[in-house]
Amino acid sequence: MNNSETLKKQFWNESFQQWFEGPMDPNYVFLQVQPDVIRILNRNGEPAQELTLGN
């Protein structure tokens, strides 16, 4: 979770007021996702491709 005030202000959009009181609302946070593997699914029965990310 990233609770950066800079990010919260930078990406705040007035449409978010449906759910949050403002950019400093404690429930408005950014989730930081760091995957180990990304799987790309293909059409037409082709096998999935995987991208393994190094740590």
Side-chain angles (χ1 to χ4, degrees):
M1 183 169 71
N2 189 325
N3 211 14
S4 164
E5 287 186 23
T6 302
L7 281 176
K8 291 171 110 176
K9 289 177 183 177
Q10 180 181 356
F11 290 103
W12 176 255
N13 185 295
E14 294 302 316
S15 67
F16 299 164
Q17 287 185 346
Q18 302 178 66
W19 304 285
F20 307 107
E21 293 181 13
M24 295 299 108
D25 186 319
N27 294 310
Y28 174 54
V29 298
F30 284 82
L31 296 179
Q32 187 171 344
V33 179
Q34 296 177 332
D36 294 324
V37 176
I38 297 174
R39 180 175 291 153
I40 302 167
L41 300 178
N42 296 302
R43 295 183 181 184
N44 302 325
E46 298 172 17
Q49 296 178 11
E50 286 191 356
L51 173 63
T52 302
L53 306 172
N55 292 359

